[in-house]
Amino acid sequence: MKVTVINGNTRHGSTWHCMDLLKQELSRYEAIEVTEFYMPRDMPHFCKGCFSCFLNGEETCPHAESIDPIVKAMEEADLVVLTSPVYGMDVSGQLKALLDHLCFMWLSHRPNPKMFNTVGLSISTTAGAGLSHTTKTMQNSLKFWGLKKRFALKEPVSAMKWDEVPTKNKAKIRRDVALTAKKIAEKVSNIEKQPSPLFRRFMFKMMLGMMKKNTWNPTDRNHWEAQGWLSGEKPF
Ligand SMILES: Cc1cc2nc3c(=O)[nH]c(=O)nc-3n(C[C@H](O)[C@H](O)[C@H](O)COP(=O)(O)O)c2cc1C
């Protein structure tokens, strides 16, 4: 199984340890090949809001050099993992900066067919609060990139570092991670046979109608045309 992990911080803290446990659990089912990125080390820029990715293509993003290898690794993955600690009730700023750069591949712009048979997972830890909001931010990207199946690990740790996480919380994390790894391994093994999510079908249909009339962004429209979607080809 090819796994691409995008870490929302550079610390080997509680979030990293959850992700590390997940890798161990997944390895029980099949050999895994992991590509990892750390924010902000591997993508240290904020989106400038220049609209160039939308209007001229993602290769014209001023930060394409950092973005391109991440997208390539996501395209090759069976499983894409986003991780973040809760910072101010949401994802870390450095992860959000990456997610902003990847809006060009949302279903509402230029969906990437290589994402359509991919499984997604978000992992978040918090001292106490904010897991729902933080998870929602990561899940929104996984959902709007058009991934087929999505899972979430939401772990309250009551701690500032992994060594201080109470035994009871660690035991729960181990159980949650083991169960999630099992479900992911099952889904990845027969992903082609899994049904297309309702949201994705609905969104695709709505955007198809809009793209047919699209005179405001030829780059988006050309993408839909090149995929054959404007002439009736079905992506899923
Ligand atoms: C800048 C910052 C903001 C934080 N904001 C919250 C918060 O809003 N709510 C909360 O319960 N914990 C908050 N925390 C605690 C972390 O979410 C928690 O300790 C997390 O497990 C740290 O993950 P890590 O060990 O992977 O770095 C914050 C920590 C930092 C450093």
Side-chain angles (χ1 to χ4, degrees):
M1 185 192 307
K2 286 192 174 174
V3 184
T4 293
V5 182
I6 298 171
N7 293 284
N9 65 350
T10 49
R11 237 182 147 212
H12 281 191
S14 302
T15 319
W16 183 90
H17 275 91
C18 292
M19 184 278 294
D20 197 48
L21 281 173
L22 179 93
K23 287 195 290 189
Q24 291 170 33
E25 284 295 328
L26 284 175
S27 309
R28 288 155 57 97
Y29 297 95
E30 59 178 289
I32 60 168
E33 194 183 314
V34 184
T35 308
E36 279 192 68
F37 298 93
Y38 286 85
M39 301 303 122
R41 186 193 73 185
D42 298 317
M43 211 301 291
H45 310 286
F46 288 108
C47 170
K48 296 175 107 152
C50 61
F51 281 86
S52 197
C53 61
F54 294 130
L55 299 174
N56 309 314
E58 63 271 27
E59 64 284 359
T60 66
C61 169
H63 311 131
E65 213 174 85
S66 307
I67 299 297
D68 188 51
I70 298 175
V71 173
K72 286 213 163 65
M74 286 167 57
E75 288 178 339
E76 283 169 18
D78 301 298
L79 171 69
V80 171
V81 184
L82 300 179
T83 85
S84 181
V86 171
Y87 285 175
M89 308 292 264
D90 210 325
V91 294
S92 65
Q94 53 269 39
L95 180 66
K96 186 62 168 68
L98 172 69
L99 299 180
D100 293 347
H101 281 86
L102 298 178
C103 289
F104 73 86
M105 54 189 264
W106 275 35
L107 293 169
S108 41
H109 289 282
R110 297 192 300 279
N112 184 336
K114 291 187 175 144
M115 296 284 107
F116 294 163
N117 275 330
T118 307
V119 175
L121 168 69
S122 64
I123 301 180
S124 186
T125 70
T126 177
L131 281 173
S132 299
H133 198 98
T134 304
T135 299
K136 178 91 178 158
T137 299
M138 291 188 277
Q139 288 287 325
N140 270 342
S141 282
L142 299 172
K143 183 176 179 180
F144 279 88
W145 294 333
L147 274 71
K148 200 173 214 178
K149 286 279 160 200
R150 291 178 287 120
F151 296 92
L153 278 166
K154 308 187 236 182
E155 301 298 342
V157 290
S158 309
M160 287 186 273
K161 51 185 181 177
W162 180 248
D163 290 348
E164 292 167 1
V165 177
T167 316
K168 184 167 63 77
N169 297 58
K170 278 190 180 161
K172 178 187 175 290
I173 289 171
R174 289 208 169 83
R175 283 198 304 274
D176 290 351
V177 169
L179 188 63
T180 303
K182 184 170 187 277
K183 287 182 189 167
I184 288 172
E186 274 168 19
K187 293 299 176 200
V188 167
S189 70
N190 68 357
I191 193 71
E192 306 273 345
K193 294 196 186 120
Q194 299 294 321
S196 178
L198 192 61
F199 169 82
R200 188 170 80 175
R201 283 186 279 137
F202 163 80
M203 191 70 195
F204 180 82
K205 207 165 170 195
M206 194 180 84
M207 288 315 303
L208 183 62
M210 287 182 74
M211 286 297 161
K212 282 181 178 163
K213 292 182 255 165
N214 182 346
T215 50
W216 56 90
N217 185 342
T219 304
D220 280 2
R221 191 182 196 283
N222 290 346
H223 175 79
W224 285 66
E225 196 151 39
Q227 299 295 330
W229 298 336
L230 296 189
S231 41
E233 220 157 284
K234 300 265 179 280
F236 26 72

